[in-house]
Amino acid sequence: MGMTPTVAIVGRPNVGKSTLFNRLIGERRAIVHDLPGVTRDRITGPCQVDDEKSLILIDTGGLVPGDDPLGLNKQVLQAVEESDLLLLVVDGKSGLAVADERVCHELRSTGKPIVLVVNKGDTTAAKESQYDFYSLGIDRQVLVSAEHNLGLGELRGAMADLVPDFEVPEVPDVPRLAIVGRPNVGKSSLLNRLVGKERVLVSDQPGTTRDPIDTVLELEDGRRYVLVDTAGIRRRGRTADAPEELAVMMARRQIERSDLAIVVVDASQGITSGDLAISGTAWELGKASVIVINKWDLLDEDKRSDLEEGWQRLDEVLAGPPRINISALTGRGVDKIFPEVEQTLERFNTQRGTSELNRIFEGLLRRHRPPAIEGQPWNLMYVTQVKTAPPTFMLFANRQLPHRATYRRYLVNGLRRELGLEGIPIRLVIRKR
Ligand code: GDP
Ligand code: GDP
């Protein structure tokens, strides 16, 4: 199973990190300012490095105030820690600076691969100074101009070469669970509760510092689960002030490698946009989720009603997800998590017979006639389930239904209701016959 690698763009202020970031994610609305430290639009974005490989870029410049001479603070170091490759950006126009050496020293201590990006390569000064930067001791060096789009192809090539190929070995037939959520919601507290009680079979040893470490748990009844990236959860628990966008990106990496997301939210803060973004990611990736509402011990009446109001939105995003109220602090409700996970996985792995499905669709079509598509009636011939996890159904029809069609949504929702698959992302594939 693959995992999208992450690349952090690091360097002292004003070297052109933000310009480079925008260039690499292919957005032209690059907000670049002569005033350093002006707030950026976003700090993470997808970047395609070649036909096959894509990765997630982090602009760490968005994480430092402009007067920080090194551009390294706790948040940046955390982003570096979570990354698989580092782009150290330097300013060729102003030449090698003491701050570059210090940033470089810091980055090398992580042992991660580094590409040295000499920016502002459109200037004569950069062309002349570029070789001075070899004294930093980084072999892979590329001269670019982020602003003028020079050398970016070579940079993409270097990134494609150096980014690791993740093929994480999987434990066969054991469901994989990701404990995810915004910083500070109580993920590591919950993890300790869960792991404290059960037998830990294996905690893989990392091959390298950036390998995710998973833990295999065995419950009393013999069921086994893999908890994905437990080392990361514990580590992040100590630096809990990461910006939300970074937290969502990290959650995505964990969710990609799992079957089910245990999305932890903080009851005392209500449902936030970050909670919705993380839940939406699990949904979009076609994974099951269980929502765990933590810190229940902190609720008073006002907070409780805020929470229930916010819940409506989460309930919509995940089409009726399972929910458990807990306190990782007192242990309340924690026992209910694995039984709920088990039931949710059962529904996620459901396999339905063709006759049942066809009966359900006949009913749905009778209740609401399909609209004409391009002036022709839409006729459904036959439905069958082609895949589980997420449940995927193939509909043979005389023509396509547009993805955004209201009628498609009606069919998906009706099918979910009839099959009792609330909270499960289900997919409809329509084949023209
Ligand atoms: P950051 O603080 O490292 O993110 O730097 P910015 O991306 O905000 O850029 C700082 C300044 O360098 C801005 O004035 C940019 O216009 C300028 N700059 C960025 N890339 C280039 C380049 O390739 N050539 C030149 N000449 N200037 C650039
Ligand atoms: P993480 O960043 O999501 O891993 O969160 P932590 O597990 O590090 O918890 C963040 C803070 O919330 C810590 O101070 C915990 O002691 C506290 N916390 C965690 N669970 C609970 C809970 O159920 N009730 C209360 N009152 N505090 C909690």
Side-chain angles (χ1 to χ4, degrees), residues 3 170 175-180 191 212-215 225-233 236 253-260:
M3 179 167 73
E170 302 291 323
R176 305 175 59 81
L177 315 178
I179 299 176
V180 291
L191 176 66
I213 303 181
D214 302 339
T215 296
Y225 297 99
V226 174
L227 296 180
V228 164
D229 189 25
T230 42
I233 295 169
R236 288 191 281 272
R253 279 158 61 85
Q254 281 174 270
I255 296 170
E256 277 178 340
R257 298 185 48 235
S258 57
D259 304 301
L260 180 144

Side-chain angles (χ1 to χ4, degrees), residues 54-73:
S54 67
L55 41 82
I56 294 171
L57 269 186
I58 306 176
D59 173 14
T60 66
L63 302 172
V64 268
D67 52 3
D68 181 337
L70 284 187
L72 287 178
N73 60 18

Side-chain angles (χ1 to χ4, degrees), residues 153-174:
E154 193 187 339
L155 176 57
R156 283 199 175 82
M159 288 160 78
D161 289 349
L162 288 179
V163 108
D165 270 319
F166 284 112
E167 281 306 329
V168 184
E170 302 291 323
V171 184
D173 297 331
V174 178

